[in-house]
Amino acid sequence: MTETGILVSRRTRAPVNQQEMLSTAIRGGVPERLYTEGMRSIFHVDMDAFFVSVEELYDPSLIGKPVVVGGAADQRGVVSAASYAARKFGVHSAMPLRTAYQLCPQAIFVEGHPERYRKYSNLVKEVLQQFTPLVEMASIDEAYLDMTGTERLHGPPLLAAHKLHNAIKAATALNNSIGAGSSRLLAKVCSDQAKPHGIVWIPPGAEAAFLAPLDVRKIPGVGKVTEQKLHRLGIRQVGDMAALEPKFLAEHFGQWGLALGGKSKGLDAGGWFQGEIGEEQDPKSISHEHTFSIDTAEADALEAALAHLSEKVGRRLREHGLWARTIQLKLRYSDFSTFTRALTLSHATQIDTEIYQTARDLLRKNQRAGAPIRLLGVHTSGFSHEAGQLDLLDGAQHERMGKALNAMDKLRDKYGEMSVSLALGMKGRFKERTHEALPNDGKPKK
DNA sequence: TCTGGGGTCCTAGGACCC
DNA sequence: TCTGGGGTCCTAGGACCC
């Protein structure tokens, strides 16, 4: 073990980052007898530049070039992922595409291929499940593994992580980074430090020493706003935060402050990280939204868009076998001011027209007359697994409607999205070009 | 430069009930 | 007539994550 108790192992010598400075690379192999002794052992696996790397598999001519995944350079939208070559020009995820184009006009802009990413994500998942059944995909390109008690099978954490890293690479040809430690939070922070193409393990007892010198922003859940607030209080590094009285943090940040205190010590405190790994859960909300390519105040166009969004939401509810009681409309005007208006029904629904009519009424009631709208959204929550109390007559109607919608879903599967549609029959039509939503590739650095 | 889309969790105020 | 406090539901908004 090194002085700080931090072990880093890098598979290649090529990309070196500042992590190299504060840790000692293990050259020539992996220590054989470092055990976790009854501690939880959590891994976090994060794919390196995932979307870009998958695109490169399908088109090797992209390798080494500046590539931006997210859409055309003149589209309304943001960068989902940027290749390392594009990042050199200052392009990063969550940046407007138009800005990325200003910074790097020679970049290759691609819309992206969600089905390819899903395919590779599933391949990765299969590999992970060979190591432990306790796998939780946290998003399309990252996962948590509970490796506690697997040492006899896979060896100590660092060795197991190397095997895992190689197995993923062998199955997908994709690079990945792995963090390992005694909590989800530790594992997550470690995988970030390991990037790109590395492994970081924090042995039990070394948590505080590892976290202390890191910027507070490195703690998952600390974004721009919390960072600024912490800075104003003179708290810049995780160690500063760990040294504070919980009372002080609670005074300035409420409940969230107490969670922050725990996180600064490497604990899975607060909402995000609670719960065991590998338990499938029902979603708590299902929503769709759309930003128009040109802002519009035209009622027919707005209502057709709302119908389209309602159908997408209804369909997803039926796929999950969920009924929603609360329907929420989201509105955004040209000046980016954003409003939500919700209504909770007396019963739960998964019927497109009911969702649509509720959202449309909310729109008519709350719309600023004549003001062009940039974005509309339909959001549902308050789920149950049944329709809930309806009187007998309504209940029978509901059931027939449900069957009809399931038949429509099957038609859509077979003949495409536009074969059966509420929105299609409407005056305004919904003619906007849409593509499947891509997540973005983590928080922009600095 | 003008800012996507799909989520989770938290806060805070008001209504309503006991 | 005035005044409590706690719990739950609903609504709106915001921070944050990928």
Side-chain angles (χ1 to χ4, degrees):
Chain A
M1 209 183 293
T2 65
E3 251 176 90
T4 52
I6 296 160
L7 294 171
V8 172
S9 176
R10 208 163 281 289
R11 300 298 294 171
T12 57
R13 302 273 69 200
V16 172
N17 62 21
Q18 63 279 39
Q19 177 61 23
E20 206 79 26
M21 307 291 288
L22 68 118
S23 50
T24 303
I26 300 161
R27 282 153 238 272
V30 172
E32 280 171 27
R33 304 216 65 81
L34 282 166
Y35 290 85
T36 50
E37 289 170 29
M39 299 284 290
R40 272 215 317 161
S41 178
I42 309 298
F43 283 17
H44 182 253
V45 178
D46 205 320
M47 304 302 293
D48 297 340
F50 183 57
F51 297 164
V52 173
S53 303
V54 172
E55 293 299 330
E56 287 173 353
L57 292 180
Y58 285 84
D59 180 2
S61 77
L62 295 175
I63 294 170
K65 293 189 185 144
V67 176
V68 172
V69 178
D74 59 351
Q75 241 172 256
R76 278 188 163 173
V78 298
V79 175
S80 276
S83 68
Y84 287 98
R87 291 180 201 187
K88 283 198 187 127
F89 292 87
V91 176
H92 59 72
S93 63
M95 168 184 280
L97 291 166
R98 287 173 167 136
T99 310
Y101 180 74
Q102 307 290 333
L103 291 172
C104 187
Q106 72 273 38
I108 300 162
F109 287 79
V110 296
E111 197 114 294
H113 298 87
E115 70 293 341
R116 293 179 183 174
Y117 312 147
R118 260 197 306 276
K119 177 186 156 189
Y120 274 89
S121 184
N122 287 331
L123 285 176
V124 171
K125 188 178 179 181
E126 281 170 23
V127 175
L128 303 182
Q129 284 170 335
Q130 289 163 17
F131 281 72
T132 168
L134 301 179
V135 173
E136 184 175 314
M137 295 302 293
S139 72
I140 197 159
D141 72 338
E142 61 176 299
Y144 291 95
L145 283 74
D146 190 340
M147 295 288 284
T148 308
T150 65
E151 293 191 345
R152 294 193 21 170
L153 197 58
H154 299 302
L158 210 45
L159 180 59
H162 275 256
K163 288 185 188 169
L164 184 55
H165 177 99
N166 291 339
I168 294 168
K169 179 90 189 192
T172 65
L174 294 170
N175 279 326
N176 60 91
S177 300
I178 301 178
S182 54
S183 66
R184 286 187 193 230
L185 179 120
L186 250 315
K188 170 95 174 132
V189 175
C190 286
S191 72
D192 188 48
Q193 294 300 107
K195 271 187 177 303
H197 202 216
I199 293 167
V200 174
W201 173 54
I202 306 306
E207 289 88 352
F210 165 70
L211 289 172
L214 301 181
D215 287 343
V216 289
R217 187 64 193 269
K218 292 280 183 185
I219 298 292
V222 175
K224 215 174 172 175
V225 175
T226 308
E227 182 189 35
Q228 294 299 314
K229 217 169 150 186
L230 286 166
H231 281 181
R232 282 198 297 275
L233 293 165
I235 304 161
R236 306 195 81 85
Q237 294 174 329
V238 180
D240 302 337
M241 202 151 75
L244 294 169
E245 293 290 332
K247 208 180 141 194
F248 177 86
L249 284 167
E251 271 163 19
H252 286 91
F253 298 91
Q255 280 297 112
W256 170 232
L258 294 177
L260 269 182
K263 286 168 191 285
S264 69
K265 298 179 170 73
L267 304 173
D268 287 335
W272 266 291
F273 286 122
Q274 307 256 311
E276 296 306 309
I277 287 167
E279 289 167 18
E280 284 279 318
Q281 287 187 26
D282 283 335
K284 298 200 163 50
S285 68
I286 289 177
S287 64
H288 283 282
E289 58 188 59
H290 178 73
T291 296
F292 295 98
S293 50
I294 298 168
D295 302 352
T296 178
E298 216 247 303
D300 287 344
L302 293 172
E303 296 190 354
L306 223 43
H308 177 78
L309 293 167
S310 302
E311 284 178 345
K312 294 219 285 186
V313 168
R315 183 149 197 221
R316 302 250 324 277
L317 287 170
R318 293 189 290 281
E319 280 167 8
H320 285 277
L322 293 172
W323 276 256
R325 272 191 69 209
T326 303
I327 317 289
Q328 185 186 262
L329 170 78
K330 182 166 165 185
L331 283 178
R332 176 172 290 154
Y333 293 102
S334 300
D335 65 358
F336 221 73
S337 59
T338 306
F339 302 86
T340 60
R341 290 293 177 268
L343 186 73
T344 298
L345 306 170
S346 58
H347 63 278
T349 187
Q350 55 172 197
I351 292 172
D352 300 354
T353 49
E354 198 165 8
I355 298 166
Y356 167 61
Q357 281 160 18
T358 308
R360 185 201 56 200
D361 292 349
L362 286 167
L363 176 66
R364 289 181 179 172
K365 222 173 285 171
N366 294 285
Q367 189 181 5
R368 221 154 59 201
I373 286 174
R374 179 189 174 93
L375 169 147
L376 281 179
V378 174
H379 181 277
T380 57
S381 58
F383 294 152
S384 54
H385 284 276
E386 284 167 2
Q389 63 270 53
L390 288 167
D391 61 50
L392 278 177
L393 194 71
D394 282 357
Q397 260 181 4
H398 237 240
E399 203 185 320
R400 280 201 301 277
M401 182 73 91
K403 282 184 179 153
L405 286 168
N406 278 320
M408 279 174 57
D409 291 344
K410 292 211 177 82
L411 281 176
R412 289 201 187 100
D413 283 341
K414 211 166 163 186
Y415 299 112
E417 200 57 41
M418 296 312 281
S419 58
V420 195
S421 169
L422 190 66
L424 195 64
M426 297 185 59
K427 261 189 286 175
R429 296 290 172 93
F430 181 72
K431 329 189 230 332
E432 292 272 315
R433 244 164 54 83
T434 61
H435 53 272
E436 201 177 328
L438 291 177
N440 75 33
D441 185 9
K443 61 184 139 191
K445 301 294 176 239
K446 275 185 276 182

